[in-house]
């Protein structure tokens, strides 16, 4: 009789706990919970990007060296390419130049990427949310790099000096040529978006659209070809880094809660013929 009473008491004590754990695993997260979760992912993507060079392997350093060598080669023709683009600026339709300027502007770009994320957030569409997180985190990481680099390098724009003219830490806008902020923001958005599609034609179309801002800045004589090329390389590296981070870290809140629940001790009552026991799963 004592064993029977003990069994009933244990069932009463542990059954509600198990039911509560199961209900937590299937609970749909609120919009606010998702927003807090995603904010951590955005900041985590930014931190992950900045820490990546410390874990690069030989292949990564080889690629970085190749980019530097390639930029040095392009620098040889910086003046010629700048003259070419500026010469043909009047031949390009204004709609293309306007698109390149406005889409690459921070206020417009973040307005678009923010809208993508908010749409995914309020509709609880994980794929769109992930795309928005990737865009915002990558643009922020690359944008901070370009903001610092502009001031530190102080490279003259084609319209303000020669390709070897530098005024480090200058406050003059004419000496903020490297890197190209419009290129970074615009191409980050389109390159991140292109990664969401497997169709090569869709990918190519989005990447082509992302090149409008860089080309428009060359046409305006605002940047050298090497500024734009290195900005594109930086953008690709940052987007790939954040994308890799999200592949590892992103999941629905219910999935994260389920993983946490697996780490908790789960008690199970076992009754059998002539036997009684409690097992704990860790």
């Amino acid at each position: 009789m004592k064993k029977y009473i003990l069994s009933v008491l244990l069932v009463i004590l542990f059954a509600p706990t198990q039911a509560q754990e199961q209900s937590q695993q299937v609970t749909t997260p609120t919009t606010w919970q998702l927003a807090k979760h995603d904010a951590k992912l955005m900041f985590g993507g930014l931190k992950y990007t900045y820490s990546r060079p410390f874990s690069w392997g030989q292949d990564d350093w080889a690629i970085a060296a190749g980019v530097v060598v390639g930029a040095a080669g392009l620098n040889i023709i910086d003046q010629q390419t700048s003259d070419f683009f500026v010469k043909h600026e009047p031949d390009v339709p204004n709609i293309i130049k306007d698109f390149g300027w406005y889409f690459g502007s921070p206020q417009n770009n973040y307005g678009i990427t923010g809208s993508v994320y908010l749409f995914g957030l309020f509709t609880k569409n994980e794929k769109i949310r992930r795309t928005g997180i990737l865009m915002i985190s990558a643009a922020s990481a690359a944008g901070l790099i370009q903001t610092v680099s502009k001031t530190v390098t102080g490279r003259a724009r084609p319209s303000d000096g020669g390709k070897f003219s530098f005024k480090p830490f200058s406050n003059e806008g004419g000496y903020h040529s490297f890197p190209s902020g419009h290129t970074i923001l615009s191409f980050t958005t389109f390159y991140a978006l292109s990664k969401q599609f497997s169709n090569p034609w869709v990918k190519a179309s989005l990447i082509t659209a992302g090149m409008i801002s860089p080309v428009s800045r060359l046409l305006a004589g605002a940047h050298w070809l090497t500024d734009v090329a290195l900005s594109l390389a930086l953008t690709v590296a940052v987007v790939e880094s954040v994308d890799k981070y999200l592949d590892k870290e992103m999941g629905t809140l219910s999935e994260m809660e389920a993983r946490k629940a697996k780490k908790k001790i789960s008690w199970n009552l076992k009754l059998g013929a002539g036997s009684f026991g409690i097992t704990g799963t860790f």
Side-chain angles (χ1 to χ4, degrees), residues 197-220:
F197 299 90
S198 57
N199 187 301
W201 293 105
V202 175
K203 282 181 174 289
S205 298
L206 290 170
I207 290 175
T208 299
M211 291 298 297
I212 295 177
S213 283
V215 172
S216 71
R217 301 303 284 155
L218 291 172
L219 291 167

